[in-house]
Amino acid sequence: MLIKFAVSNFRGFSDKITWDLSHPNRYDFNDHVIKNGSIKNGIIYGPNGSGKSNFGLAIFDIINHLTQKWKKQDYYRNFVYAGNIMKPVTFEYHFKFSEKHVVYEYSKDRMGILLSERLTVDNSVKFDYNNQSIVVCDEFPIEDSIKNKIATSTNSISLANYIHSTFPLDENHYLVELVHFADSMLWFSSVEGNQYIGLQNTTETIDEFIIRKGLVKQFAEFLYNISEQKFDFLDPKPNDNMLVCNVNGVSIPFNYMESTGTKSLTLLFYWMCKIGQASFVFIDEFDAFYHFRLSMEVCKRLFQKETQIFLSSHNTYLMTNDLLRPDCNFILSNNKIKPLCDCTEKELRFGHNIEKIYRANAFQVD
């Protein structure tokens, strides 16, 4: 699990911003959103321009050099904080793997070139690459000539990737678990179509996926159960790549009938079919096109998954103890991110209307 993340000098974040998921409060309700002593699910709120989308993207930077999965193509166009473009962007990930505390830190320049890299396991440094020098623990006997080549290379080689691909490691080795976690992360958004990062390295249309997997009936049931929309889908014929509906005896392609909200639900269905393969999921502005009650239904389904899933939203209707807890609702503002329970001196209980408290401006991040 990801239990802590920090980034500095990234896009709009001039200073270091830290997100700690490792210290949930002692609430006695909705304990399904806590897993292995860390927060499994949550929602990030914040005013427009506070950096919710950029924060989500920052978490997924690790995909860019540890995996071959799909990446956001214009990601490095606006990478470094504009006020200090010569300063590196630094990332810090804390993971809990098989009771081991794994800390992976690195920095990049404004073009995304890896400048430094450090891996620590239970306070023991496994490797440290910085300023064109490399220190590696005895567990990985790398010859000095190889170290020099890596340190002086111009193609930004990741030492973590090199060790992972060179040495035979057990499947439960901390480095194998680190790379596998990064390889299984998923970020997606429906605001500008099907945008995603990670989890898979191929593209396909959602209609093709649903037809190929034989999920037409399940898709129709999903739309009805979650939004009460009823579609009469025709049985696909061999080689069909488009969903078609029957409307009073007339065949109409489904994509002609979809509203913006239904398109967003279609995308959600697609990724929910794959979320079981994911290690960590971030859905940006997940309910931009949803009715507020539909947003609640979506959250209930997502948060029942075993996967670590976080959402960003402006919908304070979701800020209720019936769905989450005060330690799982986060406010991002002024280069800080904190759970609601740390934004007030008031003791928050299950019966409190935390949305009303939030609207009264009683939660202060500073």
Side-chain angles (χ1 to χ4, degrees), residues 5-27:
F5 172 75
V7 64
S8 63
N9 207 45
F10 177 81
R11 297 198 173 193
F13 300 114
S14 58
D15 301 316
K16 184 176 182 179
I17 178 171
T18 302
W19 190 32
D20 195 345
L21 303 172
S22 65
H23 294 92
N25 216 316
R26 296 182 178 180
Y27 295 109

PDB file of all heavy atoms in Angstrom, residues 5-27:
ATOM      1  N   PHE A   5       3.064  10.160   0.690  1.00  0.00           N
ATOM      2  CA  PHE A   5       3.599  10.700  -0.560  1.00  0.00           C
ATOM      3  C   PHE A   5       3.934  12.172  -0.366  1.00  0.00           C
ATOM      4  O   PHE A   5       3.209  12.897   0.324  1.00  0.00           O
ATOM      5  CB  PHE A   5       2.593  10.549  -1.701  1.00  0.00           C
ATOM      6  CG  PHE A   5       2.994  11.258  -2.964  1.00  0.00           C
ATOM      7  CD1 PHE A   5       3.981  10.733  -3.777  1.00  0.00           C
ATOM      8  CD2 PHE A   5       2.401  12.461  -3.331  1.00  0.00           C
ATOM      9  CE1 PHE A   5       4.372  11.390  -4.935  1.00  0.00           C
ATOM     10  CE2 PHE A   5       2.773  13.123  -4.488  1.00  0.00           C
ATOM     11  CZ  PHE A   5       3.770  12.582  -5.298  1.00  0.00           C
ATOM     12  N   ALA A   6       5.030  12.599  -0.972  1.00  0.00           N
ATOM     13  CA  ALA A   6       5.412  14.012  -0.915  1.00  0.00           C
ATOM     14  C   ALA A   6       6.029  14.415  -2.243  1.00  0.00           C
ATOM     15  O   ALA A   6       6.679  13.614  -2.917  1.00  0.00           O
ATOM     16  CB  ALA A   6       6.400  14.258   0.226  1.00  0.00           C
ATOM     17  N   VAL A   7       5.807  15.674  -2.623  1.00  0.00           N
ATOM     18  CA  VAL A   7       6.378  16.216  -3.857  1.00  0.00           C
ATOM     19  C   VAL A   7       6.680  17.678  -3.635  1.00  0.00           C
ATOM     20  O   VAL A   7       5.998  18.351  -2.848  1.00  0.00           O
ATOM     21  CB  VAL A   7       5.398  16.023  -5.046  1.00  0.00           C
ATOM     22  CG1 VAL A   7       4.108  16.810  -4.840  1.00  0.00           C
ATOM     23  CG2 VAL A   7       6.048  16.377  -6.367  1.00  0.00           C
ATOM     24  N   SER A   8       7.704  18.163  -4.317  1.00  0.00           N
ATOM     25  CA  SER A   8       8.025  19.589  -4.220  1.00  0.00           C
ATOM     26  C   SER A   8       8.494  20.107  -5.573  1.00  0.00           C
ATOM     27  O   SER A   8       9.063  19.371  -6.379  1.00  0.00           O
ATOM     28  CB  SER A   8       9.109  19.844  -3.171  1.00  0.00           C
ATOM     29  OG  SER A   8      10.320  19.206  -3.517  1.00  0.00           O
ATOM     30  N   ASN A   9       8.193  21.387  -5.823  1.00  0.00           N
ATOM     31  CA  ASN A   9       8.574  22.093  -7.049  1.00  0.00           C
ATOM     32  C   ASN A   9       7.902  21.523  -8.293  1.00  0.00           C
ATOM     33  O   ASN A   9       8.404  21.672  -9.403  1.00  0.00           O
ATOM     34  CB  ASN A   9      10.093  22.096  -7.228  1.00  0.00           C
ATOM     35  CG  ASN A   9      10.579  23.297  -8.027  1.00  0.00           C
ATOM     36  OD1 ASN A   9      10.150  24.423  -7.785  1.00  0.00           O
ATOM     37  ND2 ASN A   9      11.465  23.073  -8.984  1.00  0.00           N
ATOM     38  N   PHE A  10       6.761  20.884  -8.110  1.00  0.00           N
ATOM     39  CA  PHE A  10       6.022  20.272  -9.215  1.00  0.00           C
ATOM     40  C   PHE A  10       4.851  21.159  -9.613  1.00  0.00           C
ATOM     41  O   PHE A  10       3.992  21.469  -8.792  1.00  0.00           O
ATOM     42  CB  PHE A  10       5.513  18.893  -8.799  1.00  0.00           C
ATOM     43  CG  PHE A  10       4.672  18.205  -9.842  1.00  0.00           C
ATOM     44  CD1 PHE A  10       5.264  17.532 -10.894  1.00  0.00           C
ATOM     45  CD2 PHE A  10       3.280  18.218  -9.756  1.00  0.00           C
ATOM     46  CE1 PHE A  10       4.492  16.885 -11.850  1.00  0.00           C
ATOM     47  CE2 PHE A  10       2.497  17.577 -10.704  1.00  0.00           C
ATOM     48  CZ  PHE A  10       3.110  16.908 -11.755  1.00  0.00           C
ATOM     49  N   ARG A  11       4.833  21.614 -10.865  1.00  0.00           N
ATOM     50  CA  ARG A  11       3.744  22.423 -11.398  1.00  0.00           C
ATOM     51  C   ARG A  11       3.400  23.564 -10.439  1.00  0.00           C
ATOM     52  O   ARG A  11       4.196  24.445 -10.211  1.00  0.00           O
ATOM     53  CB  ARG A  11       2.542  21.543 -11.729  1.00  0.00           C
ATOM     54  CG  ARG A  11       2.873  20.517 -12.823  1.00  0.00           C
ATOM     55  CD  ARG A  11       1.656  19.935 -13.474  1.00  0.00           C
ATOM     56  NE  ARG A  11       2.049  19.088 -14.608  1.00  0.00           N
ATOM     57  CZ  ARG A  11       1.228  18.632 -15.515  1.00  0.00           C
ATOM     58  NH1 ARG A  11      -0.066  18.927 -15.451  1.00  0.00           N
ATOM     59  NH2 ARG A  11       1.668  17.876 -16.512  1.00  0.00           N
ATOM     60  N   GLY A  12       2.217  23.556  -9.835  1.00  0.00           N
ATOM     61  CA  GLY A  12       1.817  24.664  -8.971  1.00  0.00           C
ATOM     62  C   GLY A  12       2.287  24.553  -7.538  1.00  0.00           C
ATOM     63  O   GLY A  12       1.992  25.430  -6.721  1.00  0.00           O
ATOM     64  N   PHE A  13       3.024  23.482  -7.198  1.00  0.00           N
ATOM     65  CA  PHE A  13       3.460  23.278  -5.815  1.00  0.00           C
ATOM     66  C   PHE A  13       4.892  23.773  -5.644  1.00  0.00           C
ATOM     67  O   PHE A  13       5.853  23.067  -5.942  1.00  0.00           O
ATOM     68  CB  PHE A  13       3.363  21.807  -5.436  1.00  0.00           C
ATOM     69  CG  PHE A  13       1.964  21.250  -5.551  1.00  0.00           C
ATOM     70  CD1 PHE A  13       1.664  20.282  -6.491  1.00  0.00           C
ATOM     71  CD2 PHE A  13       0.947  21.714  -4.727  1.00  0.00           C
ATOM     72  CE1 PHE A  13       0.380  19.773  -6.607  1.00  0.00           C
ATOM     73  CE2 PHE A  13      -0.342  21.217  -4.831  1.00  0.00           C
ATOM     74  CZ  PHE A  13      -0.628  20.237  -5.777  1.00  0.00           C
ATOM     75  N   SER A  14       5.019  24.989  -5.151  1.00  0.00           N
ATOM     76  CA  SER A  14       6.352  25.575  -4.989  1.00  0.00           C
ATOM     77  C   SER A  14       7.109  24.932  -3.849  1.00  0.00           C
ATOM     78  O   SER A  14       8.325  24.729  -3.923  1.00  0.00           O
ATOM     79  CB  SER A  14       6.229  27.083  -4.743  1.00  0.00           C
ATOM     80  OG  SER A  14       5.424  27.332  -3.595  1.00  0.00           O
ATOM     81  N   ASP A  15       6.399  24.603  -2.769  1.00  0.00           N
ATOM     82  CA  ASP A  15       7.026  24.005  -1.594  1.00  0.00           C
ATOM     83  C   ASP A  15       6.640  22.536  -1.488  1.00  0.00           C
ATOM     84  O   ASP A  15       5.763  22.050  -2.214  1.00  0.00           O
ATOM     85  CB  ASP A  15       6.588  24.751  -0.325  1.00  0.00           C
ATOM     86  CG  ASP A  15       6.951  26.224  -0.372  1.00  0.00           C
ATOM     87  OD1 ASP A  15       8.094  26.537  -0.779  1.00  0.00           O
ATOM     88  OD2 ASP A  15       6.097  27.056  -0.013  1.00  0.00           O
ATOM     89  N   LYS A  16       7.264  21.857  -0.569  1.00  0.00           N
ATOM     90  CA  LYS A  16       6.974  20.438  -0.376  1.00  0.00           C
ATOM     91  C   LYS A  16       5.565  20.264   0.181  1.00  0.00           C
ATOM     92  O   LYS A  16       5.170  20.919   1.138  1.00  0.00           O
ATOM     93  CB  LYS A  16       7.995  19.822   0.584  1.00  0.00           C
ATOM     94  CG  LYS A  16       7.842  18.316   0.778  1.00  0.00           C
ATOM     95  CD  LYS A  16       8.945  17.776   1.672  1.00  0.00           C
ATOM     96  CE  LYS A  16       8.836  16.272   1.841  1.00  0.00           C
ATOM     97  NZ  LYS A  16       9.929  15.728   2.691  1.00  0.00           N
ATOM     98  N   ILE A  17       4.797  19.385  -0.442  1.00  0.00           N
ATOM     99  CA  ILE A  17       3.466  19.044   0.048  1.00  0.00           C
ATOM    100  C   ILE A  17       3.448  17.559   0.370  1.00  0.00           C
ATOM    101  O   ILE A  17       3.902  16.742  -0.435  1.00  0.00           O
ATOM    102  CB  ILE A  17       2.369  19.427  -0.970  1.00  0.00           C
ATOM    103  CG1 ILE A  17       0.994  19.012  -0.455  1.00  0.00           C
ATOM    104  CG2 ILE A  17       2.640  18.857  -2.353  1.00  0.00           C
ATOM    105  CD1 ILE A  17      -0.160  19.542  -1.289  1.00  0.00           C
ATOM    106  N   THR A  18       2.962  17.210   1.564  1.00  0.00           N
ATOM    107  CA  THR A  18       3.016  15.836   2.053  1.00  0.00           C
ATOM    108  C   THR A  18       1.617  15.321   2.357  1.00  0.00           C
ATOM    109  O   THR A  18       0.806  16.005   2.991  1.00  0.00           O
ATOM    110  CB  THR A  18       3.873  15.747   3.334  1.00  0.00           C
ATOM    111  OG1 THR A  18       5.196  16.226   3.049  1.00  0.00           O
ATOM    112  CG2 THR A  18       3.964  14.323   3.827  1.00  0.00           C
ATOM    113  N   TRP A  19       1.346  14.112   1.896  1.00  0.00           N
ATOM    114  CA  TRP A  19       0.056  13.449   2.114  1.00  0.00           C
ATOM    115  C   TRP A  19       0.318  12.175   2.901  1.00  0.00           C
ATOM    116  O   TRP A  19       0.921  11.237   2.399  1.00  0.00           O
ATOM    117  CB  TRP A  19      -0.572  13.134   0.762  1.00  0.00           C
ATOM    118  CG  TRP A  19      -1.991  12.672   0.796  1.00  0.00           C
ATOM    119  CD1 TRP A  19      -2.964  13.030   1.674  1.00  0.00           C
ATOM    120  CD2 TRP A  19      -2.609  11.776  -0.150  1.00  0.00           C
ATOM    121  NE1 TRP A  19      -4.155  12.420   1.348  1.00  0.00           N
ATOM    122  CE2 TRP A  19      -3.969  11.656   0.233  1.00  0.00           C
ATOM    123  CE3 TRP A  19      -2.155  11.092  -1.280  1.00  0.00           C
ATOM    124  CZ2 TRP A  19      -4.860  10.840  -0.473  1.00  0.00           C
ATOM    125  CZ3 TRP A  19      -3.037  10.301  -1.985  1.00  0.00           C
ATOM    126  CH2 TRP A  19      -4.381  10.177  -1.576  1.00  0.00           C
ATOM    127  N   ASP A  20      -0.130  12.148   4.147  1.00  0.00           N
ATOM    128  CA  ASP A  20       0.147  11.019   5.042  1.00  0.00           C
ATOM    129  C   ASP A  20      -1.116  10.196   5.238  1.00  0.00           C
ATOM    130  O   ASP A  20      -2.117  10.682   5.760  1.00  0.00           O
ATOM    131  CB  ASP A  20       0.661  11.533   6.392  1.00  0.00           C
ATOM    132  CG  ASP A  20       1.295  10.429   7.228  1.00  0.00           C
ATOM    133  OD1 ASP A  20       1.084   9.242   6.909  1.00  0.00           O
ATOM    134  OD2 ASP A  20       1.996  10.760   8.196  1.00  0.00           O
ATOM    135  N   LEU A  21      -1.070   8.932   4.816  1.00  0.00           N
ATOM    136  CA  LEU A  21      -2.210   8.027   4.937  1.00  0.00           C
ATOM    137  C   LEU A  21      -1.994   6.984   6.031  1.00  0.00           C
ATOM    138  O   LEU A  21      -2.832   6.100   6.225  1.00  0.00           O
ATOM    139  CB  LEU A  21      -2.436   7.299   3.600  1.00  0.00           C
ATOM    140  CG  LEU A  21      -2.653   8.179   2.374  1.00  0.00           C
ATOM    141  CD1 LEU A  21      -2.655   7.328   1.103  1.00  0.00           C
ATOM    142  CD2 LEU A  21      -3.951   8.959   2.489  1.00  0.00           C
ATOM    143  N   SER A  22      -0.887   7.109   6.738  1.00  0.00           N
ATOM    144  CA  SER A  22      -0.477   6.050   7.660  1.00  0.00           C
ATOM    145  C   SER A  22      -0.991   6.223   9.084  1.00  0.00           C
ATOM    146  O   SER A  22      -0.733   5.375   9.930  1.00  0.00           O
ATOM    147  CB  SER A  22       1.057   5.964   7.692  1.00  0.00           C
ATOM    148  OG  SER A  22       1.617   7.152   8.227  1.00  0.00           O
ATOM    149  N   HIS A  23      -1.717   7.317   9.363  1.00  0.00           N
ATOM    150  CA  HIS A  23      -2.182   7.558  10.724  1.00  0.00           C
ATOM    151  C   HIS A  23      -3.684   7.840  10.765  1.00  0.00           C
ATOM    152  O   HIS A  23      -4.109   8.959  11.040  1.00  0.00           O
ATOM    153  CB  HIS A  23      -1.411   8.724  11.361  1.00  0.00           C
ATOM    154  CG  HIS A  23       0.023   8.438  11.580  1.00  0.00           C
ATOM    155  ND1 HIS A  23       0.988   8.749  10.642  1.00  0.00           N
ATOM    156  CD2 HIS A  23       0.674   7.842  12.606  1.00  0.00           C
ATOM    157  CE1 HIS A  23       2.172   8.375  11.097  1.00  0.00           C
ATOM    158  NE2 HIS A  23       2.004   7.822  12.281  1.00  0.00           N
ATOM    159  N   PRO A  24      -4.506   6.828  10.458  1.00  0.00           N
ATOM    160  CA  PRO A  24      -5.950   7.034  10.575  1.00  0.00           C
ATOM    161  C   PRO A  24      -6.350   7.302  12.020  1.00  0.00           C
ATOM    162  O   PRO A  24      -5.661   6.873  12.953  1.00  0.00           O
ATOM    163  CB  PRO A  24      -6.542   5.719  10.069  1.00  0.00           C
ATOM    164  CG  PRO A  24      -5.457   4.704  10.260  1.00  0.00           C
ATOM    165  CD  PRO A  24      -4.173   5.443  10.066  1.00  0.00           C
ATOM    166  N   ASN A  25      -7.443   8.033  12.180  1.00  0.00           N
ATOM    167  CA  ASN A  25      -7.935   8.322  13.518  1.00  0.00           C
ATOM    168  C   ASN A  25      -8.653   7.093  14.076  1.00  0.00           C
ATOM    169  O   ASN A  25      -8.889   6.123  13.360  1.00  0.00           O
ATOM    170  CB  ASN A  25      -8.886   9.528  13.463  1.00  0.00           C
ATOM    171  CG  ASN A  25      -8.755  10.409  14.683  1.00  0.00           C
ATOM    172  OD1 ASN A  25      -8.690   9.914  15.801  1.00  0.00           O
ATOM    173  ND2 ASN A  25      -8.706  11.718  14.459  1.00  0.00           N
ATOM    174  N   ARG A  26      -9.022   7.172  15.349  1.00  0.00           N
ATOM    175  CA  ARG A  26      -9.637   6.010  15.995  1.00  0.00           C
ATOM    176  C   ARG A  26     -11.157   6.081  15.952  1.00  0.00           C
ATOM    177  O   ARG A  26     -11.839   5.972  16.975  1.00  0.00           O
ATOM    178  CB  ARG A  26      -9.149   5.910  17.446  1.00  0.00           C
ATOM    179  CG  ARG A  26      -7.653   5.655  17.555  1.00  0.00           C
ATOM    180  CD  ARG A  26      -7.226   5.506  19.006  1.00  0.00           C
ATOM    181  NE  ARG A  26      -5.795   5.222  19.120  1.00  0.00           N
ATOM    182  CZ  ARG A  26      -5.164   5.055  20.276  1.00  0.00           C
ATOM    183  NH1 ARG A  26      -5.832   5.168  21.419  1.00  0.00           N
ATOM    184  NH2 ARG A  26      -3.870   4.802  20.291  1.00  0.00           N
ATOM    185  N   TYR A  27     -11.693   6.234  14.768  1.00  0.00           N
ATOM    186  CA  TYR A  27     -13.141   6.223  14.613  1.00  0.00           C
ATOM    187  C   TYR A  27     -13.638   4.782  14.621  1.00  0.00           C
ATOM    188  O   TYR A  27     -12.951   3.871  14.140  1.00  0.00           O
ATOM    189  CB  TYR A  27     -13.542   6.919  13.317  1.00  0.00           C
ATOM    190  CG  TYR A  27     -13.207   8.386  13.294  1.00  0.00           C
ATOM    191  CD1 TYR A  27     -12.186   8.877  12.474  1.00  0.00           C
ATOM    192  CD2 TYR A  27     -13.887   9.283  14.107  1.00  0.00           C
ATOM    193  CE1 TYR A  27     -11.864  10.224  12.457  1.00  0.00           C
ATOM    194  CE2 TYR A  27     -13.570  10.639  14.096  1.00  0.00           C
ATOM    195  CZ  TYR A  27     -12.560  11.099  13.269  1.00  0.00           C
ATOM    196  OH  TYR A  27     -12.247  12.438  13.264  1.00  0.00           O
TER     197      TYR A  27
END
